[in-house]
Amino acid sequence: MIAVCDGMGGEMWGEKASYLACRVLEQSDWMSYAKLSTTELERKLVELMNRMNACVYDTFVRDSVFVGSTVVLLYADEIRTMVVNVGDSICIRMTESDSGLVTIPDNQANWLYERGEITEEQRWRHKSKSRLTQCLGMNPEEFQLKRHVYVADAMQKNETYLLASDGLVDGLPLSEIYCMMRQNPTPSVANALVEAAKALWSTSKA
């Protein structure tokens, strides 16, 4: 099981929120998940998301410290692969013949995209992209998280998954990310993607 948690609320508070979410993951008995049916596994991961959300809320937001975190989580065993996300951190799946996003961004720009009001390219550049529609840290008594769950067969040898915060697609178009992953389908592509995104971001701000 691997995950990316991206904190919000300013550098210090965002870091603490994402750290708390990761601590909940660390303390979960995920090694036992392989024994579960796919339906039970999905329920278990949803419960895990709810615990992460409640932990961030009870620690900070209940006392009017407005912080939060996104999370994208991938679980894989010999039977299946499952991806769950809350917020706008992403997961990309690539095979020898196909590539695509398997997560759904929880932000205003994606809502506009799904309504057909903006294009695919605008979805990642629109001014409303930073307005999240949900994240970890929501009041569980007032708002029920809508987890997005992707289920696939067991991971194959020539299959690659990339998890990242939204900062990656802030700097690089998805088409460029797919191209770089296909040219270098090894773990080293992660650093190359980060450096390419930083370089493009710096150029656009110059």
Side-chain angles (χ1 to χ4, degrees):
M1 186 164 72
I2 60 175
V4 168
C5 297
D6 183 14
M8 305 167 298
E11 183 175 348
M12 180 180 68
W13 292 112
E15 181 180 335
K16 290 183 176 181
S18 58
Y19 172 78
L20 271 182
C22 289
R23 285 288 291 167
V24 174
L25 289 176
E26 182 185 31
Q27 294 166 2
S28 65
D29 186 23
W30 61 270
M31 291 292 287
S32 66
Y33 291 0
K35 301 176 183 178
L36 302 175
S37 69
T38 299
T39 300
E40 291 170 332
L41 174 62
E42 180 175 339
R43 183 167 61 246
K44 183 67 70 173
L45 292 182
V46 166
E47 290 173 357
L48 187 56
M49 291 283 180
N50 287 336
R51 291 207 305 274
M52 294 165 71
N53 179 65
C55 183
V56 174
Y57 177 79
D58 290 339
T59 305
F60 296 116
V61 186
R62 187 181 293 276
D63 295 326
S64 299
V65 180
F66 298 104
V67 302
S69 179
T70 70
V71 59
V72 54
L73 179 152
L74 182 148
Y75 170 87
D77 57 30
E78 296 179 349
I79 304 173
R80 62 275 157 115
T81 303
M82 193 171 292
V83 177
V84 187
N85 81 283
V86 171
D88 59 358
S89 291
I90 66 167
C91 178
I92 290 170
R93 174 180 179 263
M94 177 166 288
T95 66
E96 289 183 324
S97 60
D98 193 22
S99 57
L101 198 68
V102 299
T103 45
I104 299 175
D106 288 316
N107 57 34
Q108 188 73 16
N110 189 69
W111 181 79
L112 292 172
Y113 169 73
E114 291 182 342
R115 287 168 55 92
E117 296 183 22
I118 60 176
T119 66
E120 165 68 22
E121 182 178 354
Q122 290 173 324
R123 176 164 67 144
W124 306 106
R125 301 289 181 269
H126 196 269
K127 60 183 180 180
S128 65
K129 177 184 172 297
S130 61
R131 300 176 195 161
L132 293 188
T133 52
Q134 65 171 2
C135 63
L136 300 180
M138 310 289 287
N139 185 344
E141 297 177 0
E142 297 180 357
F143 187 87
Q144 185 172 357
L145 290 178
K146 179 183 178 183
R147 283 85 29 177
H148 309 293
V149 182
Y150 167 85
V151 183
D153 294 335
M155 204 176 296
Q156 302 300 308
K157 181 179 179 180
N158 295 317
E159 188 174 3
T160 302
Y161 284 84
L162 173 75
L163 277 66
S165 72
D166 67 307
L168 183 64
V169 286
D170 277 352
L172 286 177
L174 279 175
S175 58
E176 180 67 17
I177 296 173
Y178 298 154
C179 181
M180 291 180 66
M181 289 177 65
R182 198 163 294 286
Q183 290 174 350
N184 179 18
T186 71
S188 66
V189 75
N191 285 334
L193 285 166
V194 170
E195 293 305 315
K198 287 165 60 177
L200 193 60
W201 180 259
S202 297
T203 301
S204 67
K205 292 298 181 180

